[in-house]
Amino acid sequence: MFIPKSIVCLRDYSWKQFHSDFTAGVVVGLVALPLAMAFSIACGLPPERGLYTAVVGGFLISALSGSRVAIGGPTGAFIVIVAGIVAKFGYEGLAVATGMAGLILIAMGLARMGTLVKYIPYPVITGFTSGIAVVIFSTQIKDFFGLQVVAVPPEFIDKWAVYLKALPSFNPYSLGIGLFTTLCIFSWPRQWKVPGSVVALTVTSVAAAWGHWGVETIGTRFGGIPQGLPHPQFVLASWAQMKLLLPSAFTVAALAAIESLLCAVVADGMIGGRHKSNMELVAQGVANCLSPVFGGIPATGAIARTATNVKNGGRTPMAGMVHALVLLVILLSAGPLAAHIPLAALAGVLVVVCYHMSEWHSFKFILTGPLSDIAVLLTTFLLTVFVDLTMAVGVGMVLASFLFMRNVAALSGVKALTHERETERKEETPVPSGVEVYSINGSFFFGAVEKLMEVEQSLFKAPRALVLDMAGVFYMDSTGLKTIRDIRRRCETRGTRLMLAGVQPQPFSVLHKAKKVDKIGKDNFKPTLEKALAELALSPKG
């Protein structure tokens, strides 16, 4: 379970596969280059921090991954969270929160919690992903249009109010660069090895420098990109700081777990493989523990880069490690050249990312589904855009859980089958006189037990026997157990015999552990309703 795929894949590795992995790694590295810088800038940090993350985090994720082809690094999903942490606590606070998130991810993996992501409802995932795309898009308007804005408010509505007020100050060259970059990426032939984003950045950088257009670049805002990785530096935090950053760390860990495992699932579908979810969480944890040591930000699995890896022939973690090394070589040799890249071009790259993140096909699909799913989707989406991601996911999960329980309870039913209501019964054995029979179907949990209590309490007189047909009950919780206990006590007070028929393994196990089997009486447990009725028919006095 905890052996990385990089080791497993060595068993049948060949030079032919290395050639495919190397080619895919180079292509993915070129794709990741503008994305890593754009993500970091969108978080309010210098562009090199995104590159450090892609190099260190990307290498470690691939080397330790539970997936054969997943590519790791900074992703758009983190922008909203990271920007909030940086604005409130600075980069040092982000580094501490990222390291703590890494430890949480390792603990989740060792506790074998990798399968929990499947329990997050699809509308919640789509809602916060689409919301994040809208929020990220709103952060790129300033650079895309070259607006003369001193400070952009963090709130969504206030941000757009500032944009509209500053719209007359837009720079036509910045707008042209942004539009060219966006169109170049969308229209670039997929079969060409050089990514359209790299071509767009190269063309716009040369054109802006040659034409002296006066657009803002990485150099004018950040002073360029340093060559190479920084020296390792551990950020020490007090216990008070750690407690303050703990909610942020949990948010980063939760989002990293969701994104990485979803990425691994998508990768499995593309190559017909099967990932190790717990090992994947451990890999993400190690990467996030060490990424801030080298000046990086949170890292996780990147679905788009993983798809690019697969489409270009990558089939083992070697491709992901090559992608990280390609970025390191670029950082060492061509770092200063990045100073000429226009920020409008990077904004264009993120506009494309937002389009793909928006999940508009899935959003539209869910809107045609049940009203409960629509409510969860829109609640999560609107809270993500107008409040924050943490509250959106929390409220979305709670709302989805309540609606799910309501739907399950609606499917649970209690039907009275007495001798006065026997017209539709097809069983050979009729219900004897003085016997009440309730047929229970569905999950017998806290959301459904009230139906049985209402029916049972509606009896005008105590029957000589009460039979609960539980053949259709495959799950019972402690509330269902309490209901059975209360009914047994009421029957004991009335002098009514209580019998349970067709009890399934899970409910019987609950009754047995609670020592209710002996109290009810083993003779009162019958394998079928017919056997219970046959016995009662032979004992008219009960």
Side-chain angles (χ1 to χ4, degrees):
M1 180 179 298
F2 292 104
I3 299 177
K5 287 287 187 176
S6 59
I7 296 177
V8 175
C9 291
L10 290 176
R11 298 171 184 170
D12 304 318
Y13 204 65
S14 63
W15 281 107
K16 181 179 180 181
Q17 185 57 59
F18 174 76
H19 180 268
S20 297
D21 288 338
F22 183 83
T23 302
V26 172
V27 174
V28 175
L30 294 176
V31 170
L33 176 64
L35 290 175
M37 292 188 291
F39 290 149
S40 185
I41 292 173
C43 292
L45 295 168
E48 62 267 20
R49 296 204 182 276
L51 293 174
Y52 299 157
T53 308
V55 172
V56 178
F59 185 89
L60 290 173
I61 287 174
S62 293
L64 302 175
S65 178
S67 171
R68 296 174 66 95
V69 294
I71 301 296
T75 64
F78 277 125
I79 290 176
V80 178
I81 297 174
V82 171
I85 298 174
V86 170
K88 190 173 183 180
F89 302 104
Y91 176 74
E92 289 191 359
L94 174 65
V96 174
T98 304
M100 292 169 64
L103 295 176
I104 294 171
L105 285 165
I106 293 173
M108 290 173 63
L110 296 179
R112 304 185 180 185
M113 298 173 65
T115 58
L116 292 182
V117 69
K118 68 177 66 174
Y119 298 108
I120 299 177
Y122 184 54
V124 173
I125 294 176
T126 303
F128 82 70
T129 303
S130 301
I132 289 172
V134 172
V135 174
I136 296 173
F137 176 78
S138 71
T139 64
Q140 299 308 301
I141 299 301
K142 174 180 178 293
D143 290 335
F144 194 91
F145 286 85
L147 300 179
Q148 300 301 311
V149 178
V150 178
V152 179
E155 291 77 15
F156 184 81
I157 296 178
D158 294 342
K159 187 180 283 136
W160 281 96
V162 170
Y163 290 154
L164 291 175
K165 187 176 181 180
L167 193 58
S169 67
F170 85 98
N171 186 325
Y173 294 110
S174 293
L175 178 58
I177 288 172
L179 290 174
F180 172 80
T181 303
T182 303
L183 293 175
C184 184
I185 296 173
F186 273 121
S187 60
W188 194 255
R190 294 185 178 182
Q191 64 269 24
W192 292 7
K193 293 298 182 181
V194 180
S197 57
V198 174
V199 174
L201 292 189
T202 303
V203 171
T204 56
S205 298
V206 172
W210 176 74
H212 301 288
W213 290 343
V215 296
E216 195 170 15
T217 65
I218 288 179
T220 58
R221 181 179 294 184
F222 301 103
I225 294 179
Q227 286 183 292
L229 291 175
H231 295 293
Q233 185 174 359
F234 293 89
V235 179
L236 300 178
S238 64
W239 176 243
Q241 289 176 307
M242 293 175 66
K243 287 195 296 182
L244 194 61
L245 289 165
L246 190 59
S248 299
F250 271 110
T251 303
V252 171
L255 188 56
I258 294 171
E259 286 286 308
S260 62
L261 294 178
L262 284 177
C263 177
V265 170
V266 171
D268 287 347
M270 296 183 71
I271 65 173
R274 185 177 180 182
H275 73 281
K276 300 179 180 181
S277 57
N278 297 311
M279 187 65 234
E280 184 66 21
L281 290 181
V282 172
Q284 300 292 331
V286 173
N288 280 284
C289 282
L290 293 180
S291 175
V293 174
F294 291 90
I297 60 179
T300 187
I303 296 177
R305 275 160 277 172
T306 297
T308 302
N309 179 34
V310 173
K311 291 176 182 177
N312 284 276
R315 289 298 181 273
T316 76
M318 180 61 70
M321 291 186 277
V322 169
H323 127 271
L325 294 176
V326 167
L327 289 172
L328 178 61
V329 170
I330 294 174
L331 192 60
L332 290 171
S333 59
L337 296 177
H340 302 289
I341 297 176
L343 295 181
L346 292 178
V349 172
L350 283 186
V351 167
V352 178
V353 171
C354 293
Y355 173 79
H356 293 299
M357 277 187 67
S358 65
E359 298 276 353
W360 66 271
H361 288 290
S362 300
F363 202 99
K364 182 180 178 181
F365 173 75
I366 295 174
L367 289 177
T368 63
L371 289 177
S372 58
D373 288 346
I374 296 174
V376 172
L377 172 70
L378 295 179
T379 299
T380 308
F381 173 78
L382 294 174
L383 286 176
T384 301
V385 174
F386 294 106
V387 186
D388 64 70
L389 178 63
T390 305
M391 179 175 290
V393 174
V395 172
M397 287 292 293
V398 171
L399 180 60
S401 300
F402 275 119
L403 292 174
F404 172 76
M405 288 184 291
R406 187 201 65 177
N407 293 336
V408 171
L411 295 173
S412 302
V414 178
K415 184 178 181 181
L417 303 173
T418 63
H419 64 285
E420 292 90 359
R421 300 170 234 177
E422 281 293 297
T423 56
E424 298 181 2
R425 275 182 52 80
K426 298 179 180 180
E427 289 80 0
E428 296 179 0
T429 307
V431 177
S433 177
V435 175
E436 292 287 345
V437 179
Y438 296 151
S439 176
I440 309 172
N441 293 292
S443 297
F444 195 40
F445 74 119
F446 63 89
V449 296
E450 200 63 30
K451 295 181 180 181
L452 178 60
M453 295 300 296
E454 290 174 1
V455 174
E456 198 276 333
Q457 290 173 359
S458 66
L459 295 175
F460 293 103
K461 58 182 181 178
R464 66 184 178 90
L466 175 63
V467 182
L468 301 181
D469 181 13
M470 300 180 65
V473 178
F474 294 92
Y475 174 79
M476 182 173 71
D477 68 356
S478 58
T479 308
L481 174 66
K482 178 181 179 297
T483 303
I484 297 293
R485 183 197 68 184
D486 294 342
I487 291 175
R488 183 193 67 80
R489 290 177 177 175
R490 192 172 293 111
C491 287
E492 189 175 26
T493 302
R494 293 175 174 180
T496 298
R497 181 182 181 184
L498 176 63
M499 299 183 73
L500 304 183
V503 182
Q504 299 296 323
Q506 194 276 342
F508 185 84
S509 175
V510 172
L511 290 165
H512 180 72
K513 289 180 179 179
K515 299 180 181 180
K516 298 301 179 185
V517 174
D518 292 334
K519 290 185 178 181
I520 294 174
K522 293 182 179 180
D523 292 339
N524 291 321
F525 283 83
K526 302 301 176 182
T528 64
L529 174 61
E530 297 307 312
K531 289 188 179 296
L533 296 178
E535 180 176 321
L536 290 171
L538 296 175
S539 55
K541 293 183 180 182

